[in-house]
């Protein structure tokens, strides 16, 4: 049995480049993105979908999905779900509204307190999941109801309404609010407008100004979160722990990975993302409503799955999830531009989801070598 | 892998077919109606039909859009998107001024004519730069109903609110309470949208508060299950029952004497008239000089036959 | 046997509520030896080594590490002290690359300004080198562990333990799911590791596997030690009998015509 040193196993075929390229979680999403854009360029190319306003529209919607998809993606790779994301969005928005409008505190205080509150609730979700060993599906389902209930109850109790407005007035001059509701690159777009590259408003108080007057902070947040999360996941020790926690928690524990801490932190990160979403929305629209964020948790999970993550954890990609969100946003808005009946969006979504899951299963089989 | 590709191709082909079917109707002006109603709200069918009929009669192309879950922030995006597709006009509800005024104003400023329907107030419509407002002022309608009920001897009531997140719904209840001259207090319940939940919540409330004089529902979504609840409790026809909006079951209940009156805001007009107004404005430059109140009209057992015939379709 | 034992376990008892899994087991392990732990299903082998690895706390008895009394509060404590454990099923994460698995929990860090990144270059190079030492040539360090064979996975886990300076390596049934060739590979790896001076605790049901590499043999039965024998002091048949509780095995053997 004395081994004569390493020999190349003659039974392993040289893997082709193509097959190697296939084994990436993002592959499905990349193919999907190309297909979706090709489809809409053909069928909605001249409908306004690709003029500056149209681009801004689907980019903003996609960016919204991206923000919550990044959180859901990291959490799913760590092996857990969070179904309370949608309710958290409604709850966070309402919290900002109540603190700033009803209590009259500065908006930045409202935002910071709300972030603290949401992250604490995320931690609570995580602690309950790791302590009880219950499936996160059930625990966060409970929070879906708890948070939505509070989101309806408190404003009704305090203001006898379920929509609280007046945040725009409260946020005027605030130093933190523009970080969420502001726009960047205004001067650049004015310049483009002057050049005639993009249209300008033809009348009203804003006549002469460009129809697109900047890139919303929402999009900046989305891109920032995607980049940071991607680096953490693929390039750091903590990223390795996230994969390990979701891949096989027990195996990870045996080699000293603090699995519980990692999972709790991912729940907190998901809550953070939901809170970013809510804050951007509240500052942009100036009001919080009890029905904000309905079903957003599923939209986030769908984007993540389209992006190649496995529902069972341990495998996935933030870039894939971001592309999944892009596909989601472009299809949702694009069907309208293409003049398709909006109820058919769900049909499309279902088809894409099925397609993505089948493709992902196929990819996973290649990776694990199982048949 | 191959199979998957095939599936996708089939889907793409199907989509293509639907796209072209829709594009074929596009001639003349193009108007988009954006509502705040979730997919589940069947009351809006009348609006869809009114819109389609208006489009057909005027020879213009019309589209109906709504946020699937009723999320008003999503609705704001739909309005932005509608504006980006450069239609001739947008007909939209103004369910939440804070959320929707920005996108609507942008649409107006980029040269699209806007008419506000259904929700919001004439003042708000003017503020966002809309051509006009077509609808029923909710608080006033509730107030009128409250006065009517007070005249019939009602002094306490239950308001079954199935759309608590919509401020207009609460205004209806508030108006009714003020019309009666009582505090709204805890007389409004959040019933949710599920029929059996609504039914059970109404029964629970009436069991807990047996001396409630009247029930007010805000539309077929809450009225239909409430009718069943009253049937089951043996209160049908006994308790004073008024409702906003009409629908098949509501009309039958008015005929049966279970419901005293239905407040008809005549949604048909809210979709049909804007199409007519916009088309004539675009073609001949003519515009009515004022807002149009599509309601309230009280429908009682007396003049029911035409309503009954067309309930849920055009009434 | 002149060297001092690395670990001495004295009179270890472990109760799970009413279940008495271990009832006074003594065991020691010296540097550079392979000490085989044998016993029937449910004899308490896994429970025993989990006590050694810090997963369970003994109900009574003491653990001496280098002559000192020790209390491990977590697997991490035991690992830090130099006790590495390789579990049959829980060793590796199939979806992750060999490198990521190899370094899991102890990733090398590269600092860029205030940011700490995982040093993939070092990680990949070391992984490839360590695997080569164990006689396995990886296609690429990015290869997912799921594509490795059972024996290769065991080897990655063993290589990992050795690389991180284990003094004692515990292998819980590393060969139970393997074919002939893969078993041979793992046994030769054990042999190689033992020669570097690491003490190995090798759990198995298979007397032949134990005989191939073992220096000493301890048999557990129903939570008790039946005895420890050194290589050459005991025949495979005697060991087999001890494991099955002697009597019954002889009877069974008779009825099966001596095929077992
Ligand atoms: N966590 C636990 N709780 C209760 N009983 C346990 C626990 N772990 C082990 N036992 C019991 O202790 C006894 C010894 O189990 P152990 O897993 O140590 O056996 P083993 O010798 O490793 O067997 P095998 O060869 O099948 O792996 C068994 O009766 C088992 O049911
Ligand atoms: Mg065992």
């Amino acid at each position: 049995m004395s081994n004569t040193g390493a020999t190349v196993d003659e039974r392993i075929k040289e893997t082709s480049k193509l097959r190697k390229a296939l084994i990436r979680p993002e592959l499905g999403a990349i193919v999907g993105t190309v297909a979706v854009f090709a489809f809409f360029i053909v069928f909605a190319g001249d409908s306004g979908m690709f003029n500056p306003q149209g681009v801004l529209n689907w980019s903003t919607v996609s960016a919204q999905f991206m923000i919550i998809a990044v959180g859901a993606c990291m959490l799913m790779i760590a092996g857990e779900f969070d179904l309370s994301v949608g309710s958290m969005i409604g709850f966070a928005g309402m919290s900002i509204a109540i603190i700033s409008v009803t209590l009259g505190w500065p908006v930045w205080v409202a935002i910071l307190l709300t972030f603290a509150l949401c992250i604490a609730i995320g931690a609570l979700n995580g602690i309950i999941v790791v302590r009880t060993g219950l499936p996160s599906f059930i625990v966060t389902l409970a929070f879906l109801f708890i948070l939505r209930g509070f989101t309806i109850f408190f404003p009704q109790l305090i203001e006898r309404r379920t929509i609280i407005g007046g945040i725009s007035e409260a946020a005027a001059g605030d130093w933190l609010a523009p970080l969420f509701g502001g726009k960047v690159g205004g001067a650049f777009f004015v310049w483009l407008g002057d050049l005639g590259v993009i249209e300008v408003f033809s009348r009203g108080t804003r006549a002469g100004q460009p129809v697109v007057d900047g890139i919303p902070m929402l999009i900046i947040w989305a891109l920032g979160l995607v980049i940071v999360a991607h680096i953490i996941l693929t390039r750091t020790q903590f990223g390795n722990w996230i994969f390990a926690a979701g891949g096989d928690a027990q195996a990870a524990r045996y080699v000293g990975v603090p699995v519980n801490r990692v999972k709790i932190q991912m729940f907190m990160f998901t809550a953070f993302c939901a809170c970013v979403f809510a804050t951007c929305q509240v500052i942009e629209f100036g009001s919080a409503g009890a029905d904000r964020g309905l079903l957003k948790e599923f939209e986030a999970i769908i984007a993540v799955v389209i992006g190649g993550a496995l529902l069972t954890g341990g495998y996935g990609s933030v870039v894939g999830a971001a592309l999944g969100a892009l596909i989601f946003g472009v299809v949702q808005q694009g069907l309208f531009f293409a003049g398709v009946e909006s109820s058919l969006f769900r049909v499309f979504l279902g088809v894409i989801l099925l397609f993505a899951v089948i493709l992902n299963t196929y990819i996973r089989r290649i990776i694990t070598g199982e048949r | 892998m191959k199979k998957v590709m095939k599936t996708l191709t089939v889907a793409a082909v199907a989509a293509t077919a639907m796209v072209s079917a829709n594009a074929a109707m596009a001639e003349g002006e193009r108007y988009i109606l954006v509502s705040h109603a979730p997919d589940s709200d069947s009351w809006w069918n009348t609006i869809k039909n009114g819109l389609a009929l208006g489009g057909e009669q005027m020879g213009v192309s019309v589209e109906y859009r709504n946020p699937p879950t009723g999320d008003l922030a999503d609705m704001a995006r739909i309005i932005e998107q509608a504006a980006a597709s450069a239609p001739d006009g947008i007909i939209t509800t103004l369910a939440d001024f804070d959320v929707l005024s920005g996108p609507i104003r942008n649409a107006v400023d980029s040269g699209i004519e806007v008419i506000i329907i259904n929700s919001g107030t004439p003042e708000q419509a003017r503020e966002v730069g809309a051509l006009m407002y077509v609808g029923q002022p909710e608080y006033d309608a509730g107030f009128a109903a409250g006065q009517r009920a007070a005249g019939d001897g009602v002094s306490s009531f239950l308001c079954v609110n199935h759309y608590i997140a919509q401020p207009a719904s609460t205004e209806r209840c508030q108006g009714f309470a003020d019309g009666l001259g009582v505090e709204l207090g805890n007389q409004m319940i959040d019933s949710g949208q599920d029929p059996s939940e609504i039914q059970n919540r109404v029964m629970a409330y009436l069991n807990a508060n047996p001396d409630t004089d009247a029930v007010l529902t805000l539309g077929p979504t809450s009225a239909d299950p409430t009718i069943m609840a009253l049937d089951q409790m043996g209160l049908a026809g006994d308790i004073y029952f008024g409702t906003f909006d009409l629908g098949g079951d509501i009309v039958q209940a008015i005929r049966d004497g279970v419901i005293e009156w239905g407040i008809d805001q005549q949604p048909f007009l809210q979709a049909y008239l804007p199409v007519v107004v916009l088309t004539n404005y675009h073609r001949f430059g003519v515009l009515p000089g004022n807002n149009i109140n599509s309601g309230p009209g009280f429908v009682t057992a007396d003049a029911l036959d035409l309503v009954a015939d067309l309930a849920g379709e055009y009434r | 046997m002149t060297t001092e034992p690395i670990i001495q376990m004295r009179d270890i008892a472990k109760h799970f509520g009413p279940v008495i899994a271990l009832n006074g087991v003594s065991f020691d392990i010296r540097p550079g030896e392979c000490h085989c732990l044998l016993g029937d299903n449910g004899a308490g082998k896994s429970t025993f080594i989990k006590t050694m690895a810090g997963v369970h706390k003994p109900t009574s008895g003491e653990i001496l590490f280098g002559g000192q009394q020790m209390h491990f509060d977590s697997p991490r404590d035991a690992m830090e002290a130099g006790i590495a454990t390789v579990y049959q099923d829980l060793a590796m994460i199939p979806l992750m690359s060999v490198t990521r698995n190899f370094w899991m929990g102890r990733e090398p860090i590269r600092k860029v300004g205030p940011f700490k990144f995982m040093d993939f270059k070092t990680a990949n190079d070391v992984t490839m080198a360590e695997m080569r030492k164990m006689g396995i040539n990886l296609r690429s360090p990015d290869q997912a562990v799921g594509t490795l064979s059972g024996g290769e996975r065991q080897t990655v886990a063993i290589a990992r333990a050795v690389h991180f300076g284990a003094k004692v390596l515990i292998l819980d049934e590393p060969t139970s799911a393997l074919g002939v060739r893969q078993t041979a590979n793992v046994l030769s790896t054990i042999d190689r590791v033992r020669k570097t001076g690491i003490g190995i605790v090798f759990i198995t049901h298979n007397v032949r596997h134990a005989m191939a590499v073992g220096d000493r043999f301890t048999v557990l039965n129903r939570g008790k030690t039946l005895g420890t024998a050194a290589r050459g002091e005991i025949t495979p048949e005697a060991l087999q009998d001890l494991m099955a509780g002697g009597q019954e095995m002889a009877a069974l053997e008779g009825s099966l015509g001596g095929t077992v």
Side-chain angles (χ1 to χ4, degrees), chain A residues 22 31 35 39 43 47-49 51 53-54 57 60-61 64 152 156 160-166 168-169 200-206 211 218 281 284-288 290-296 299 332-342 344-346 348 351 355 358-359 362, chain B residues 1 4-5 7-8 11-12 15-16 18-19 22-23 30 32 39 48 63-66 68-74 76-78 80-86 95-100 102-103 105-114 129 163-167 170 174 184-186 188 190:
Chain A
L22 264 176
V31 172
F39 179 86
F43 290 106
S47 65
M49 180 170 175
N51 69 21
Q53 263 177 299
N57 182 244
T60 309
V61 172
Q64 276 189 329
I152 299 172
Q156 257 194 298
R160 301 221 125 277
R161 287 181 295 163
T162 53
I163 296 191
I164 296 184
S168 302
E169 292 76 46
V200 294
F201 284 118
S202 58
R203 61 183 182 185
T205 50
R206 295 167 59 194
V211 288
L218 188 71
Q281 193 177 62
E284 179 183 353
F285 292 124
S287 82
D291 60 351
R292 296 289 154 75
L294 271 180
L295 293 184
K296 287 282 181 273
E299 295 175 352
Q332 181 172 349
Q333 305 302 95
L335 287 181
F336 165 80
F337 286 105
V340 179
E341 178 59 38
S342 64
L344 288 175
F345 168 60
R346 288 152 198 251
F348 264 68
V351 170
F355 172 73
I358 292 169
L359 186 69
Y362 175 76
Chain B
M1 209 36 208
V4 180
M5 280 306 180
T7 319
L8 198 72
T16 319
M18 287 177 297
V19 172
N22 229 319
R30 188 166 145 262
I32 301 170
D39 285 352
K48 283 187 198 168
E63 289 167 36
Y64 177 86
R65 300 284 149 183
N66 67 307
T69 59
D71 188 327
L72 294 178
D74 286 350
R77 300 274 175 246
I78 293 175
E80 286 173 358
Q81 176 191 52
S85 74
D96 180 354
F97 185 79
D98 283 316
V99 175
L100 303 175
R105 211 172 278 137
N106 282 350
V108 170
D109 288 351
S110 53
I112 300 164
E113 310 299 345
V114 172
Y163 195 8
I164 196 104
Q166 230 274 43
T170 314
Q174 188 66 52
L184 179 56
N186 289 327
M188 177 175 78
D190 170 11

